[in-house]
Amino acid sequence: MADQEQARKRMIGFYSMDPARHTPLEDAQGIFISAMVAALGLYLLNQVGLLTSGTAGVAFLLHYAFDIPFGILFFVVNLPFYYLSFRRLGLGFSVKTFGAIALVSVISELERRFLVIQYIDPFWAALLAGILIGFGLLGLYRHRASLGGIGILAIYIQDRFKIPAGLVQLAFDLCVMAAAFFVVSPATVLWSLLSAVILNLLLTINHRSDRYIAVR
């Protein structure tokens, strides 16, 4: 009780004096901005027909194979992982992750109404997308949220077994990329793999459980 009271006293309006805690408003703006950044990265990939990491990669595969809107698929593919999130990572993490996934799903579908790209080289799209999605995920991790699916599993494994989240995601991504050979061209898979490697290296280098505590 004393610790909780002390934590409340360190909250000044919308700003928390405790670096390990955020106010609801801090979480809301952090999750919204991170979702915007990640959605932009996903939009770039979609413009050149590439894939990416985690459940987003699965959603892209289904999108290219069946021409179903990516935003809908991304939201649906993540549904089975909410149970793991609730059981292992808590209600707060699950609610914020659900909100982040919903935001990315909606923004990725609205993006084309506000941003039209006439041409972008696949290499540049892969590079920028890997960086943008990586920074989006880092922002979400900082506010104890993720983009669901393998991200949820990766954070749990990192916090429990100290295996870097980026390496967990990279292993899953290799499986996604192998399946992609049946849906898209080999050149597309290679550019997509570059984007996934950049994303996961960014996470491995910059996200550490002793610096940013995703689950408390």
Side-chain angles (χ1 to χ4, degrees):
M1 291 297 292
D3 291 341
Q4 292 179 355
E5 182 63 27
Q6 192 175 27
R8 280 195 294 269
K9 289 179 180 179
R10 286 196 288 265
M11 300 285 189
I12 301 177
F14 62 88
Y15 180 74
S16 172
M17 299 296 290
D18 185 349
R21 296 178 180 275
H22 296 97
T23 65
L25 184 57
E26 285 178 316
D27 279 335
Q29 62 84 32
I31 290 172
F32 178 76
I33 292 172
S34 299
M36 286 285 291
V37 172
L40 178 58
L42 293 171
Y43 177 72
L44 292 178
L45 292 177
N46 203 0
Q47 289 297 291
V48 292
L50 301 184
L51 300 94
T52 188
S53 299
T55 50
V58 176
F60 270 126
L61 278 177
L62 297 174
H63 168 62
Y64 297 143
F66 302 106
D67 199 27
I68 300 173
F70 168 79
I72 295 174
L73 288 170
F74 182 59
F75 185 81
V76 171
V77 166
N78 278 291
L79 290 178
F81 291 90
Y82 288 125
Y83 177 75
L84 172 64
S85 175
F86 175 73
R87 292 287 297 176
R88 297 293 188 180
L89 301 175
L91 178 62
F93 182 92
S94 302
V95 169
K96 286 185 279 190
T97 294
F98 182 89
I101 292 171
L103 278 171
V104 170
S105 298
V106 172
I107 294 170
S108 63
E109 289 301 311
L110 293 177
E111 202 91 56
R112 69 192 69 182
R113 300 187 180 185
F114 301 97
L115 178 63
V116 178
I117 299 176
Q118 293 184 339
Y119 172 78
I120 182 170
D121 187 86
F123 165 74
W124 202 244
L127 177 65
L128 286 179
I131 293 171
L132 288 168
I133 298 170
F135 272 106
L137 283 170
L138 285 173
L140 290 174
Y141 290 174
R142 188 68 184 93
H143 289 271
R144 298 179 188 131
S146 80
L147 285 182
I150 299 306
I152 294 174
L153 183 61
I155 291 176
Y156 169 73
I157 291 175
Q158 175 170 282
D159 289 335
R160 181 69 182 272
F161 302 106
K162 306 305 179 186
I163 300 174
L167 293 182
V168 176
Q169 291 204 168
L170 183 58
F172 178 83
D173 293 340
L174 292 176
C175 297
V176 173
M177 296 304 167
F181 280 105
F182 297 97
V183 179
V184 296
S185 68
T188 296
V189 175
L190 292 177
W191 288 126
S192 300
L193 184 59
L194 171 65
S195 182
V197 169
I198 292 170
L199 163 60
N200 287 294
L201 284 176
L202 192 151
L203 292 178
T204 301
I205 294 169
N206 293 282
H207 181 70
R208 286 172 39 185
S209 58
D210 55 344
R211 285 180 181 166
Y212 305 109
I213 304 172
V215 183
R216 178 178 285 258

